[in-house]
Amino acid sequence: MSWFIQTCRSSLGKKYIMALTGFMLGGFLLVHTIGNSTIFWGRDAFNAYAHHLHALGIFVPIFEIGLYSLFFLHVITGLLLWQQNKTARGGKYAVETSAGGSTFASKTMPYTGIAIFVFILIHLVNFHFPEKTAEKTISDFVTEVLGNPLFTLIYGAGITLLFIHISHGFWSLLQTFGISHPRYDYPLRVITWALAGIMGGVFLLITLLIAMFTLGAARG
């Protein structure tokens, strides 16, 4: 057990923890993207998707606890690694550079991570549905929140930061697991940006369409 603790305390161990938790959180985000995209097929399709999720009963809070645990482990490990790197570099944060050099996403990982943490807290306050659906459908809550110009801006900014963060996060994950080769680094970089872009684009499109729909309904 001591070797496991020592490994977790090392920089390499923390990077593996970040990679594993990031991989699982990324998997959840991909499923979440696919599920939320049902709103493009109309309110009934989206409400049916949400209803099926809530019908899982006791598995919902169990899954939520597991997801929150992964998220907090990812955040705490990231902050520890950030502080460790700052100390080692004399106060300047440094990250592994990509095959083509450092990028804006790589340089801002800790800052976008903190901003995303705040954004997710706001998201949970707005969209933790089980105790809010007695009188309104879930699609009504989504429209009500995202139709507010303030939340439209908050969600637009939050999703943009999430896209920036996970675009480098996916790439960093591949590097940590040794999935790298000069011949394939550029295509892999494009794939990570494309995957992050698709997920971010879906959420941004949902936010913008609901905001436009709400604005059009108000004018009508």
Side-chain angles (χ1 to χ4, degrees), residues 11 18 38 44 51 54 62 71 76 78 84 104 117 120 123 132 140 154 166 175 181 183 192 203 208 214 217:
S11 294
M18 289 291 290
T38 58
D44 290 341
H51 176 74
H54 296 160
I62 292 175
F71 182 72
I76 292 171
Q84 188 172 321
F104 175 78
F117 176 74
I120 289 177
H123 180 67
K132 296 182 178 181
D140 289 333
I154 290 175
I166 64 178
Q175 299 295 296
H181 188 281
R183 179 179 295 181
T192 58
F203 286 114
L208 292 175
T214 304

Side-chain angles (χ1 to χ4, degrees), residues 132-155:
K132 296 182 178 181
T133 55
E135 298 179 0
K136 296 182 179 180
T137 64
I138 291 175
S139 61
D140 289 333
F141 276 109
V142 173
T143 302
E144 184 178 295
V145 173
L146 295 182
N148 184 316
L150 175 61
F151 283 113
T152 298
L153 291 175
I154 290 175
Y155 273 81

Side-chain angles (χ1 to χ4, degrees), residues 2-144:
S2 61
W3 67 267
F4 177 76
I5 296 175
Q6 290 176 356
T7 301
C8 291
R9 288 178 176 175
S10 67
S11 294
L12 183 60
K14 290 184 179 67
K15 288 178 182 178
Y16 277 118
I17 292 173
M18 289 291 290
L20 287 171
T21 55
F23 176 76
M24 288 185 278
L25 289 171
F28 163 76
L29 187 60
L30 178 60
V31 173
H32 194 42
T33 303
I34 295 171
N36 280 12
S37 66
T38 58
I39 201 169
F40 296 130
W41 281 263
R43 289 175 176 265
D44 290 341
F46 182 67
N47 287 329
Y49 156 70
H51 176 74
H52 286 313
L53 287 182
H54 296 160
L56 295 175
I58 188 62
F59 293 104
V60 174
I62 292 175
F63 179 78
E64 287 181 341
I65 292 172
L67 185 62
Y68 296 155
S69 299
L70 281 174
F71 182 72
F72 282 114
L73 180 59
H74 189 76
V75 171
I76 292 171
T77 304
L79 292 175
L80 290 174
L81 193 58
W82 178 24
Q83 183 59 44
Q84 188 172 321
N85 285 337
K86 284 179 63 178
T87 302
R89 308 282 178 171
K92 185 178 181 181
Y93 176 70
V95 296
E96 292 182 31
T97 58
S98 65
S102 62
T103 64
F104 175 78
S106 69
K107 293 177 181 178
T108 58
M109 284 296 280
Y111 313 111
T112 55
I114 293 171
I116 291 167
F117 176 74
V118 175
F119 170 64
I120 289 177
L121 291 179
I122 295 173
H123 180 67
L124 288 174
V125 170
N126 285 327
F127 291 126
H128 194 265
F129 297 122
E131 63 277 357
K132 296 182 178 181
T133 55
E135 298 179 0
K136 296 182 179 180
T137 64
I138 291 175
S139 61
D140 289 333
F141 276 109
V142 173
T143 302
E144 184 178 295

